[in-house]
Amino acid sequence: MKAIEITSYGAPEVLRAVERPDPVAGTGELLIRVAASGVNRPDVLQRKGHYPVPPGASDLPGLEVAGEIVSGDAAALAEAGFKIGDRVCALVAGGGYAELCVAPVAQCLPVPKGWSDSEAASLPETFFTVWSNVFERGRLQKGETLLIQGGSSGIGVTAIQIAKALGATVIVTAGSDGKCEACKALGADHAINYRTSDFAEEAKKLTGGKGVDVILDMVAGDYVAREIECMAEDGRLVIIAVQGGVKSDFNAGLVLRKRLVITGSTLRPRPVAFKGAIAKALREKVWPLLESGAIKPVIHSTFVAGGEPSGAAQAHALMESNQHIGKIVLTW
Ligand SMILES: NC(=O)c1ccc[n+]([C@@H]2O[C@H](COP(=O)([O-])OP(=O)(O)OC[C@H]3O[C@@H](n4cnc5c(N)ncnc54)[C@H](OP(=O)(O)O)[C@@H]3O)[C@@H](O)[C@H]2O)c1
């Protein structure tokens, strides 16, 4: 098969199209002929050598794919209600930038009715992450307020749409007025340009002084102190990335007085059973929203994966330019 390899750690050009042996599905797994692969910021971190591959995972980048089932563990397929030829999208721990990809059956979901392969490939990584962090760890409820740092990211556009569809008020931050407008067009109630306004002051004003109930934070660093200031009593801060640094200096007294919960997680190293449980919840609670049109794909650009220079390299360069709104996808 053709695949995109990280030939050495470095700039996007280290991503090169190569030939690799076809992978083989083992127990509980299926093999997908990949039509499209989603690109995520963790792929960029992996390419730079900052995101180690979990034990047992493919060294190839790529955490999500969509395509057709070509073979697999018959018993696991039957139990999940899949058959050869079905179109699925899958969350994988690596190996997504390839024409063929093995996935645990438990981490596969049907391509939502009416969605293309490219659109479906944009789903798993952000939908699993947002469900697990905002709705499970963060326990966001209907009627509560969610603050999303980085509303125009792949993660952000997913969080805006699910939270709105399930009845929350959504405030986002983004780095330009254009990105703020795009977030509002997706349903965000309020958007704060974090380069020109203090998000904590704005969030307090927007909630009438009460503060926000849940924060999805992909920045951390010095954001944490300001987040704690603008959280409501019994608020939950969920950290999923540390783009602003790992160290924070915050007022611990506020954590006690407001009874705050500070938590976080990384999805990739979690076991199949954990990811399978998220897949079940998504299929029940979110897939109907994708099929009804309540939640729409937000794809900024699509690149052909192979070629010279590789479309994957162009996709990574775009992601690092931070010009995108929503998802970037590779096609095969
Ligand atoms: N923990 C997990 O399980 C998990 C899983 C998947 C992804 N992640 C992380 O989640 C983040 C988003 O991933 P993605 O694939 O959606 O990436 P992405 O589309 O490239 O988004 C990165 C976002 O970070 C925003 N950002 C950077 N600095 C900011 C700041 N100071 N304030 C507010 N926003 C800021 C950028 O906003 P502007 O461009 O507007 O500045 C951009 O929207 C990444 O850091 C990724 O590593 C974590």
Side-chain angles (χ1 to χ4, degrees), residues 33-176:
R33 183 175 312 288
V34 177
S37 316
V39 175
N40 295 281
R41 185 66 63 155
D43 309 346
V44 172
L45 299 178
Q46 181 175 342
R47 196 203 74 224
K48 291 177 162 175
H50 303 318
Y51 197 25
V53 175
S58 167
D59 66 304
L60 297 172
L63 302 173
E64 58 186 355
V65 295
E68 191 184 307
I69 303 174
V70 286
S71 62
D73 175 337
L77 281 176
E79 197 188 325
F82 291 129
K83 56 183 186 323
I84 308 296
D86 282 356
R87 288 168 67 229
V88 289
C89 56
L91 179 78
V92 291
Y97 289 15
E99 285 178 322
L100 292 167
C101 182
V102 165
V105 174
Q107 293 173 207
C108 295
L109 286 151
V111 170
K113 282 184 200 75
W115 285 54
S116 70
D117 289 325
S118 294
E119 291 167 345
S122 76
L123 292 171
E125 176 68 8
T126 65
F127 277 70
F128 278 69
T129 300
V130 168
W131 188 262
S132 164
N133 286 289
V134 175
F135 295 94
E136 292 182 346
R137 301 197 83 73
R139 304 187 317 277
L140 181 70
Q141 305 295 314
K142 189 175 177 175
E144 288 192 325
T145 302
L146 170 68
L147 170 62
I148 304 165
Q149 304 287 14
S152 66
S153 62
I155 292 278
V157 299
T158 297
I160 292 170
Q161 294 196 88
I162 306 182
K164 282 308 298 174
L166 298 182
T169 297
V170 173
I171 303 173
V172 303
T173 60
S176 73

Side-chain angles (χ1 to χ4, degrees), residues 39-45 51 63 125-126 129-130 132-133 148-157 173-176 179 194-195 199 217-219 222-223 239-244 264-269 319-328:
V39 175
N40 295 281
R41 185 66 63 155
D43 309 346
V44 172
L45 299 178
Y51 197 25
L63 302 173
E125 176 68 8
T126 65
T129 300
V130 168
S132 164
N133 286 289
I148 304 165
Q149 304 287 14
S152 66
S153 62
I155 292 278
V157 299
T173 60
S176 73
K179 286 183 173 182
Y194 69 81
R195 295 186 199 277
F199 73 80
D217 181 17
M218 58 180 76
V219 181
D222 64 8
Y223 267 33
I239 300 172
I240 60 161
V242 290
Q243 296 181 90
S265 72
T266 57
L267 179 64
R268 192 178 187 187
M319 181 162 270
E320 286 179 274
S321 77
N322 284 327
Q323 297 301 306
H324 64 293
I325 293 171
K327 295 281 304 193
I328 303 170

